[in-house]
Amino acid sequence: MYTQSFNVPDGAGKTVPLAPSTEDPALQAAFDARIDADGRIEPQDWMPEAYRKTLVRQISQHAHSEIVGMLPEGNWISRAPSLKRKAILIAKVQDEGGHGLYLYSAAETLGTSRDQMLEGLHSGRAKYSSIFNYPTLTWADVGVIGWLVDGAAIMNQVPLCRCSYGPYARAMVRVCKEESFHQRQGYEALLVMMQGTAEQREMVQDAVNRWWWKCLAMFGPPDADSPNSAQGMRWGIKRVSNDELRQKFVDATVPQARVLGVTLPDPDLKWNEERQHYDYGQIDWNEFWETVNGNGPCNKERLATRVKAHNEGQWVRDAALAYAEKQKARSIKEAA
Amino acid sequence: MTTALKEWPLWEIFVRSKQGLEHKHCGSLHAADAAQALEMARDVYTRRQEGVSIWVVESKAITASNPDEKGPLFDPAADKIYRHPTFYEIPEEVGHM
């Protein structure tokens, strides 16, 4: 479900300049021609090293986001208010795990390994969507994550279905098909709360207040400050700019908030007749970068939980492999 | 614990969406052996009744054509339009053929 539409460098800095191309000009020309013709690149095709690296980084960050994204919601499985909501939440969290697997597989076609990617995540070197470094304080947060966080993710992900790299595009088609349920279940859970007590309605409004700006930041820095975006567009990896996606999200969400009966916490949010879009206020990018760079409220907790789960599962992975090897040895012996 | 930290091998997954249709490639996953690959494919690729049958094939068992040979392999078919029914003109009064 989750991606930051931009590609955060995994290192500490904000941007990495792309190295000048030292690739074979004939191969490069054939690659460019295919991109220009809106063709697809498949794993065995020649591709520039920078294209490969960018994709590995973006797809693995996307996969990590799905996996870490299971944690804030997973916290609520045991506390969901009814058996129905519990079953829905389990299904959603399971989907996120599945989405992570589709994406890891897509990244592996580029020559990286699952272990390498997991090592990047667990060592803290690789990034994941910073939206998961905020806490889910009440049940309303779970609804808001579905409505707004998944809603923002869908905006980001639909254009990725037309990404120039075939395996990534195909994984995104599958993800997007499953995603719509995530947003709708969240919105519906909030609708139910809004028909409840004054306290429940306040809970929803409070959750919207805390998540709104963070969701707007999910689309990444303004176009003017995203130097890597242009290259992503040139390569057909990115199809729609950060600001354009953010605007689409705002325009789609305002009427949904009205139906739900909540206000969006932005005094500058208003319809602009001339632009035929909603204007909105300033996003706090300092806070965003602080979180991306590891200083958000839950960065440490999320990573620690993830590493613990992985380490505690090691014996299962080892046992499965040992069992498979034993079975294989036995069948060879029987055949002899 | 001698083989710890070894990755599970990669498997390609093919799913038949309904009886009467072919199995279609839908993705890949890591699993220790074929039986486990089947179980995991069930969970990863058929959570919404997308399938009635699954095949798993270890990825390393697949031999693929080389993209560099795309020309020699597939171009020869391009100029053989007489292999298509539309190449032949049949008088209208013959009707559907």
Side-chain angles (χ1 to χ4, degrees):
Chain A
M1 80 151 133
Y2 308 111
T3 176
Q4 273 158 173
S5 70
F6 72 119
N7 204 335
V8 196
D10 281 336
K14 286 191 185 177
T15 53
V16 258
L18 286 165
S21 178
T22 50
E23 308 283 7
D24 179 323
L27 292 172
Q28 178 74 50
F31 173 86
D32 289 342
R34 186 176 299 181
I35 295 284
D36 288 341
D38 203 19
R40 294 291 178 269
I41 307 299
E42 293 295 341
Q44 291 180 309
D45 295 333
W46 184 90
M47 62 188 88
E49 237 355 82
Y51 176 83
R52 183 188 299 275
K53 269 194 186 151
T54 298
L55 277 171
V56 167
R57 195 172 56 222
Q58 178 168 336
I59 303 172
S60 60
Q61 281 178 5
H62 195 164
H64 298 331
S65 302
E66 303 284 351
I67 298 302
V68 177
M70 293 196 282
L71 302 175
E73 290 181 296
N75 278 344
W76 279 93
I77 289 175
S78 61
R79 291 176 284 164
S82 68
L83 187 57
K84 173 184 144 189
R85 294 290 166 193
K86 194 193 287 266
I88 292 170
L89 194 54
I90 290 174
K92 179 176 191 298
V93 172
Q94 191 187 16
D95 274 358
E96 309 304 356
H99 296 175
L101 290 178
Y102 307 154
L103 288 160
Y104 281 131
S105 296
E108 283 171 73
T109 63
L110 291 158
T112 182
S113 75
R114 183 76 56 98
D115 280 351
Q116 272 175 308
M117 288 186 276
L118 289 182
E119 201 278 320
L121 173 66
H122 295 161
S123 67
R125 189 162 36 79
K127 300 284 187 228
Y128 55 85
S129 183
S130 57
I131 196 80
F132 304 116
N133 291 318
Y134 300 103
T136 40
L137 300 180
T138 70
W139 173 249
D141 288 48
V142 176
V144 169
I145 286 182
W147 174 36
L148 296 180
V149 176
D150 286 289
I154 292 171
M155 286 288 171
N156 265 331
Q157 290 178 334
V158 168
L160 284 173
C161 297
R162 294 182 291 121
C163 161
S164 62
Y165 188 58
Y168 192 23
R170 290 192 287 275
M172 290 320 300
V173 169
R174 195 170 279 282
V175 168
C176 286
K177 261 189 208 163
E178 299 179 350
E179 202 66 56
S180 164
F181 136 65
H182 296 182
Q183 190 183 18
R184 290 172 67 110
Q185 65 81 33
Y187 189 71
E188 192 235 25
L190 296 177
L191 278 172
V192 170
M193 288 183 83
M194 291 303 284
Q195 285 151 21
T197 63
E199 201 187 352
Q200 284 175 306
R201 282 193 290 276
E202 264 167 43
M203 210 183 262
V204 174
Q205 183 63 59
D206 170 63
V208 170
N209 292 348
R210 281 182 289 107
W211 288 95
W212 173 249
W213 288 104
K214 293 161 177 65
C215 290
L216 291 194
M218 276 176 76
F219 294 94
D223 295 346
D225 304 331
S226 341
N228 289 342
S229 273
Q231 181 64 74
M233 293 258 194
R234 173 69 191 89
W235 277 330
I237 296 173
K238 193 169 172 53
R239 298 285 187 178
V240 186
S241 84
N242 294 353
D243 285 333
E244 216 176 309
L245 287 167
R246 188 163 19 241
Q247 183 71 60
K248 272 179 83 166
F249 175 71
V250 171
D251 291 347
T253 308
V254 171
Q256 295 165 359
R258 205 175 296 137
V259 173
L260 189 58
V262 294
T263 53
L264 298 170
D266 179 0
D268 298 324
L269 185 70
K270 55 176 176 293
W271 179 252
N272 184 325
E273 189 58 35
E274 197 182 315
R275 291 201 308 128
Q276 290 291 302
H277 288 294
Y278 283 94
D279 290 337
Y280 53 91
Q282 259 305 317
I283 296 165
D284 182 353
W285 291 110
N286 286 334
E287 198 252 359
F288 172 77
W289 283 113
E290 273 295 295
T291 309
V292 168
N293 289 321
N295 304 316
C298 301
N299 294 53
K300 288 194 179 64
E301 184 197 324
R302 298 286 185 241
L303 206 53
T305 309
R306 175 64 212 141
V307 169
K308 181 167 176 275
H310 185 75
N311 289 344
E312 289 180 354
Q314 185 62 49
W315 72 270
V316 179
R317 294 188 293 279
D318 291 341
L321 208 53
Y323 178 76
E325 274 162 14
K326 193 173 91 180
Q327 293 296 104
K328 205 190 288 170
R330 190 172 288 168
S331 68
I332 290 169
K333 212 157 132 196
E334 273 167 17
Chain B
M1 287 292 285
T2 47
T3 54
L5 294 178
K6 218 174 101 187
E7 267 194 6
W8 287 347
L10 192 65
W11 300 76
E12 299 302 320
I13 313 302
F14 300 81
V15 170
R16 182 201 292 284
S17 59
K18 67 177 198 187
Q19 211 62 24
L21 294 181
E22 72 277 42
H23 285 78
K24 222 173 138 187
H25 183 244
C26 68
S28 50
L29 51 77
H30 289 274
D33 60 19
Q36 196 197 22
L38 271 179
E39 277 176 28
M40 293 177 81
R42 198 276 310 251
D43 287 345
V44 176
Y45 292 108
T46 64
R47 287 196 302 282
R48 290 179 175 80
Q49 297 181 292
E50 291 96 334
V52 293
S53 162
I54 301 173
W55 288 349
V56 299
V57 181
E58 209 173 333
S59 305
K60 67 179 184 201
I62 290 179
T63 308
S65 63
N66 184 340
D68 294 343
E69 288 163 16
K70 204 169 90 188
L73 279 176
F74 306 113
D75 285 354
D79 59 358
K80 297 178 179 58
I81 47 172
Y82 48 85
R83 287 179 173 168
H84 297 277
T86 45
F87 179 73
Y88 303 93
E89 270 182 39
I90 306 289
E92 222 166 275
E93 60 260 40
V94 174
H96 177 74
M97 182 186 270

